[in-house]
Amino acid sequence: MKAAFIKKTGSPDTIIVDDLSPPRIGPRDVLIQVRKCSVNPIDTYVRAGSVAMPLEFPFIVGSDFAGDVLATGCDVVSFRPGMKVWGSNQGLLGRSGCFAEHIAVHERWVYPIPEGVSYETASAAALVSITACLGLTRHAWITDGETVFVNGGSGGVGIAVVQIAKALGARVIASAGTPKKRKMVEDYGADVVVDYHDPAQVLKSVRQFAPHGVDVFWETSREPDFHKAVSVIREQGRIVLMAGRDAQPSFPVGPFYVKQCHVVGFVMFKSSSEEQLAAALNINRWLSSGALRIPIDRVLPLSSTAEAHRLQEASTVHQSEQLYGKIIIDCD
């Protein structure tokens, strides 16, 4: 079978697309013919070796997939051949990735694709939507009528946070860096969109939209600005962190504790399979209803996986502003 894999960590040029032996399935594994995959920043970090993971070489890259069930292990009860499925959390914590024609995945990480939802949409939504759902429901404790500020609302996770927060009954103010991206975030449901390059405009817009401050400040940036966050959140507000592994920003301790605020950091792929399944059930419901849509920037063939990693790395690390949605890999 064809697969995108590495024999050592390094630059995107270390990615090889060639034949590998088909996977073997265990008693609780699902054998899947992969139709579409999507690229995430974590994929590039694992490939580069900048996030230490147990890797068995040759290592297939990639976290998110959508495809068809070909066969199941003898102890699998929830899936059968022919079902359309999606999933995430592959290529992490010792699990093989999914950028291949066929993959074997433990059933705990596999979910049915709802009727009417495409492979592209399901794969694009996977990691970013699970992250957004878990962050809002399990870590930010969002409730109906609260106000969420999404700093970086046009990125993969940001655009999912905007929509899921709205689906949960919140009001949303979001920031983005260019007029085109601000228009995109507005089209995806944000009530107010501001330019994060203009701190004065951000503060003014928040004060107009939420005079007492926002309930939740969701930070997507690799370099969190806690001064901005604390300035716009209300008494007992919550700050959610899910990026910035190497960041060591200054922190306004005084204003933070006087407001009795909370800050929480979480890593999606360290969440339990039960937590991720609960998120996936909600995501399927929102995908089916149209409450959740994930923008797709481009679709590339499996042979262009290295190019996809270069584009994602340029956007995430170097802030190239090139991408306006997810990169999808076509494995058909």
Side-chain angles (χ1 to χ4, degrees):
M1 69 169 188
K2 284 285 189 283
F5 58 92
I6 58 174
K7 294 183 177 180
K8 62 179 181 179
T9 57
S11 74
D13 294 334
T14 61
I15 296 175
I16 301 165
V17 179
D18 206 343
D19 290 318
L20 287 180
S21 298
R24 297 177 179 178
I25 61 173
R28 295 192 61 192
D29 288 343
V30 179
L31 181 65
I32 298 165
Q33 181 176 355
V34 179
R35 300 297 188 180
K36 299 291 188 290
C37 298
S38 68
V39 182
N40 294 286
I42 187 65
D43 302 341
T44 69
Y45 305 153
V46 173
R47 182 221 71 232
S50 57
V51 172
M53 291 279 179
L55 305 179
E56 183 176 331
F57 298 110
F59 174 75
I60 298 173
V61 301
S63 304
D64 294 346
F65 65 88
D68 301 312
V69 176
L70 294 177
T72 61
C74 58
D75 292 337
V76 173
V77 296
S78 299
F79 300 96
R80 62 184 184 278
M83 291 182 68
K84 296 181 178 181
V85 294
W86 67 277
S88 184
N89 223 20
Q90 304 310 298
L92 303 164
L93 302 177
R95 290 183 288 275
S96 180
C98 56
F99 281 33
E101 291 178 321
H102 301 107
I103 57 175
V105 181
H106 194 288
E107 64 176 335
R108 67 166 62 101
W109 307 116
V110 181
Y111 320 112
I113 295 178
E115 187 72 29
V117 175
S118 69
Y119 296 117
E120 286 186 5
T121 296
S123 65
L127 183 145
V128 296
S129 300
I130 293 175
T131 301
C133 183
L134 290 176
L136 288 168
T137 59
R138 298 190 64 86
H139 299 289
W141 328 301
I142 194 74
T143 59
D144 185 40
E146 290 193 314
T147 302
V148 178
F149 185 104
V150 187
N151 194 43
S154 63
V157 172
I159 207 79
V161 173
V162 168
Q163 296 174 86
I164 291 175
K166 293 291 291 184
L168 292 169
R171 306 189 315 150
V172 176
I173 181 169
S175 68
T178 68
K180 183 176 179 180
K181 289 196 171 185
R182 289 193 288 276
K183 178 62 167 59
M184 181 176 75
V185 176
E186 182 180 353
D187 290 343
Y188 277 80
D191 298 291
V192 176
V193 186
V194 296
D195 182 355
Y196 58 62
H197 295 115
D198 189 343
Q201 183 208 8
V202 171
L203 190 57
K204 179 181 178 181
S205 296
V206 169
R207 285 175 174 169
Q208 290 176 341
F209 187 65
H212 300 293
V214 302
D215 298 281
V216 174
F217 185 99
W218 186 296
E219 179 63 89
T220 71
S221 171
R222 288 162 52 88
E223 295 291 336
D225 185 345
F226 289 113
H227 296 274
K228 177 198 290 185
V230 174
S231 71
V232 301
I233 58 176
R234 64 181 303 158
E235 287 274 337
Q236 299 186 12
R238 292 91 75 194
I239 301 171
V240 179
L241 304 176
M242 39 66 68
R245 183 175 295 268
D246 299 320
Q248 297 188 17
S250 62
F251 191 89
V253 173
F256 178 81
Y257 89 79
V258 168
K259 281 187 172 182
Q260 304 184 87
C261 298
H262 306 266
V263 61
V264 60
F266 81 103
V267 179
M268 167 268 186
F269 57 80
K270 289 185 177 180
S271 302
S272 70
S273 58
E274 292 80 11
E275 290 170 335
Q276 295 196 44
L277 173 59
L281 294 175
N282 279 320
I283 289 163
N284 276 350
R285 179 164 53 86
W286 294 322
L287 288 173
S288 294
S289 69
L292 178 61
R293 300 171 293 129
I294 304 298
I296 294 171
D297 182 274
R298 67 192 72 190
V299 179
L300 297 174
L302 183 63
S303 59
S304 296
T305 298
E307 178 188 350
H309 272 232
R310 279 189 286 269
L311 287 166
Q312 185 65 64
E313 213 163 59
S315 177
T316 306
V317 178
H318 304 297
Q319 302 295 302
S320 66
E321 303 285 357
Q322 294 180 68
L323 297 179
Y324 291 84
K326 297 298 296 285
I327 302 172
I328 300 299
I329 297 295
D330 187 344
C331 296
D332 282 341

